[in-house]
Amino acid sequence: MLLSLVLHTYSMRYVLPAAVMMGTAPTYMLAWGAWRLLSAVLPARFYREVDDRLYTIYQSMVLFFFENYTGVQVIIYGDLPKNKENVIYLSNHQCTVDWIIADMLAIRQNALGHVRYVLKDGLKWLPLYGWYFSQHGGVYVKRSAKFNEKEMREKLRAQMKAETPMYLVIFPEGTRYNPEIPKVIADSQSFAEKEGLAILKHVLTPRVKATHVAIDSMKEYLDAVYDVTVAYEGTVDHKGQRKLAPSMTEFLCKECPRVHIFIDRIDLKDIPEEQMYMRRWLHERFEIKDKLLIEFYDAKDSKRRNKFPGKSVHSKLSLKKTLPSLLFLGGLTASMLLTESGRKLYVKTWIYGTLIGCLWVSIKP
């Protein structure tokens, strides 16, 4: 019985982080909503500046749990500029933690508030978050034939007009690489073979539409493209076969000791402009990712496994970057919940904020 209690306690280590991250959402939305109303008569640039600062506070709190709380080792390879830039961030996609990896890099460049995502359309219905991500500059897209190029271009141009700093995160695979769903991997490889493209083992065949629209729309606004390859240590079974990457819950339960991040900064002049050529270029970039991951997972020399080639840096995030945000948002939320009127406002924010958000994104994505 004691052993069962210990195991249960161990598996519940994600409860506190989840409770705080979700629990502070209404507080954050109230602060953001108040600023949204106050800034209605101001130029869009002023709204964006404060919105980015608010977003930095919330995401810094999130990173407290995903870095300081878990104690994960973040190992960075390649060139990550120290200064913030306007960039498109292209990465392989294997789990929900991939979104957090972009934050991990951005905070190390003091660009955390600038992170914006290209998201699959279904995520816009998330309570509170779905609406806010759209308002923060995120772009919701549908797959394949339903992809609305005009809508995406208009949103990105509006961001540029407002002089919005951009750290635009795109996962070109369109869905996660999941070893437990071999049909998705087989279909991706079959498509590549049909199109005369190299067959990839550890990533899916990338889709070019969102990447092309983003680069083409913002080519005069961007400083670079970051080509990012991520590998989570411990995602190989006893037979040497790749297994599912950690979920957010597993990551928060400290089941990923190290995350390896390879960054290749690419100048815009090195990227072809026409979509048909960019498609080939993007596939070649994913061939490079695949080779890196083959080396990471399958290298014949065991000493070369579980790391990328080249020099690396163990990057530890200071508590000064995250703890103040946790104390600030946690304190505000606790203060609200201590009074009856505060609790009523808290509950109403969850309910009405979700309803208004769903209505808003259904009318204006």
Side-chain angles (χ1 to χ4, degrees), residues 189-206:
Q189 293 174 341
S190 177
F191 175 79
E193 184 177 19
K194 180 181 176 182
E195 296 295 316
L197 301 169
I199 295 174
L200 307 173
K201 179 180 180 181
H202 286 293
V203 290
L204 302 178
T205 304

Side-chain angles (χ1 to χ4, degrees), residues 5 18 23 46 72 80 98 105 126 134 146 151 180 190 199 210 249 253-254 260 275 280 294 307 329 340 355:
L5 180 61
F46 291 103
V72 66
L80 180 67
D98 294 333
L105 295 182
L126 285 173
S134 174
K146 295 182 179 180
E151 190 175 272
E180 295 180 1
S190 177
I199 295 174
T249 298
C253 283
K254 307 182 182 183
H260 300 256
Q275 182 171 320
R280 175 67 64 175
I294 287 172
K307 59 184 178 181
L329 282 175
E340 184 178 352
L355 292 174

Side-chain angles (χ1 to χ4, degrees), residues 10-295:
Y10 178 85
S11 67
M12 293 292 282
R13 287 185 296 175
Y14 70 91
V15 172
L16 174 62
V20 174
M21 288 187 285
M22 293 291 290
T24 54
T27 311
Y28 180 81
M29 288 298 291
L30 284 170
W32 169 76
W35 170 241
R36 187 73 164 136
L37 290 172
L38 288 171
S39 64
V41 295
L42 298 174
R45 179 169 56 87
F46 291 103
Y47 162 72
R48 291 296 178 197
E49 286 179 1
V50 176
D51 177 49
D52 281 4
R53 291 182 183 275
L54 288 172
Y55 189 74
T56 298
I57 292 172
Y58 185 82
Q59 291 299 92
S60 296
M61 178 198 69
V62 170
L63 285 176
F64 168 83
F65 291 110
F66 278 92
E67 291 209 48
N68 302 122
Y69 175 81
T70 62
V72 66
Q73 290 186 34
V74 177
I75 304 171
I76 298 177
Y77 306 74
D79 300 317
L80 180 67
K82 293 182 179 179
N83 300 320
K84 62 183 74 174
E85 299 182 290
N86 286 326
V87 301
I88 289 175
Y89 170 112
L90 302 176
S91 176
N92 58 316
H93 192 21
Q94 51 202 309
C95 65
T96 50
V97 183
D98 294 333
W99 307 101
I100 305 298
I101 302 301
D103 290 347
M104 288 179 176
L105 295 182
I107 197 171
R108 286 163 169 80
Q109 295 177 276
N110 294 315
L112 186 56
H114 303 171
V115 175
R116 314 179 202 281
Y117 300 109
V118 174
L119 302 145
K120 61 183 180 182
D121 193 64
L123 292 174
K124 68 185 181 183
W125 305 112
L126 285 173
L128 298 185
Y129 294 98
W131 178 29
Y132 176 71
F133 282 141
S134 174
Q135 294 298 292
H136 184 65
V139 182
Y140 289 109
V141 297
K142 295 180 180 178
R143 295 173 183 170
S144 303
K146 295 182 179 180
F147 178 83
N148 191 326
E149 179 178 327
K150 181 181 177 182
E151 190 175 272
M152 183 175 178
R153 285 186 184 275
E154 288 176 351
K155 184 143 193 177
L156 292 175
R157 285 167 180 162
Q159 302 289 340
M160 290 187 290
K161 185 177 180 181
E163 300 180 10
T164 304
M166 296 298 292
Y167 202 101
L168 187 66
V169 178
I170 302 176
F171 298 103
E173 289 161 285
T175 191
R176 297 174 214 158
Y177 178 98
N178 186 345
E180 295 180 1
I181 310 179
K183 185 179 185 305
V184 173
I185 298 171
D187 287 347
S188 173
Q189 293 174 341
S190 177
F191 175 79
E193 184 177 19
K194 180 181 176 182
E195 296 295 316
L197 301 169
I199 295 174
L200 307 173
K201 179 180 180 181
H202 286 293
V203 290
L204 302 178
T205 304
R207 307 178 186 198
V208 74
K209 287 183 179 179
T211 302
H212 176 258
V213 170
I215 294 176
D216 186 58
S217 299
M218 299 193 297
K219 56 191 173 187
E220 304 300 327
Y221 196 73
L222 297 172
D223 295 306
V225 166
Y226 292 173
D227 185 13
V228 179
T229 306
V230 180
Y232 300 94
E233 199 165 317
T235 50
V236 174
D237 63 21
H238 65 283
K239 295 181 180 179
Q241 297 297 312
R242 188 171 170 188
K243 61 182 183 180
L244 190 63
S247 65
M248 284 191 174
T249 298
E250 291 166 337
F251 200 94
L252 290 170
C253 283
K254 307 182 182 183
E255 294 184 18
C256 178
R258 284 171 288 275
V259 57
H260 300 256
I261 311 169
F262 192 100
I263 304 105
D264 194 354
R265 184 187 182 278
I266 302 171
D267 288 328
L268 272 296
K269 63 180 177 61
D270 296 327
I271 303 174
E273 294 187 8
E274 292 186 30
Q275 182 171 320
M276 62 180 294
Y277 296 116
M278 189 181 291
R279 180 191 183 196
R280 175 67 64 175
W281 169 85
L282 184 61
H283 196 85
E284 288 172 354
R285 295 308 310 179
F286 269 72
E287 286 182 59
I288 294 172
K289 290 180 185 299
D290 202 42
K291 289 175 182 177
L292 286 170
L293 291 169
I294 287 172
E295 183 78 4

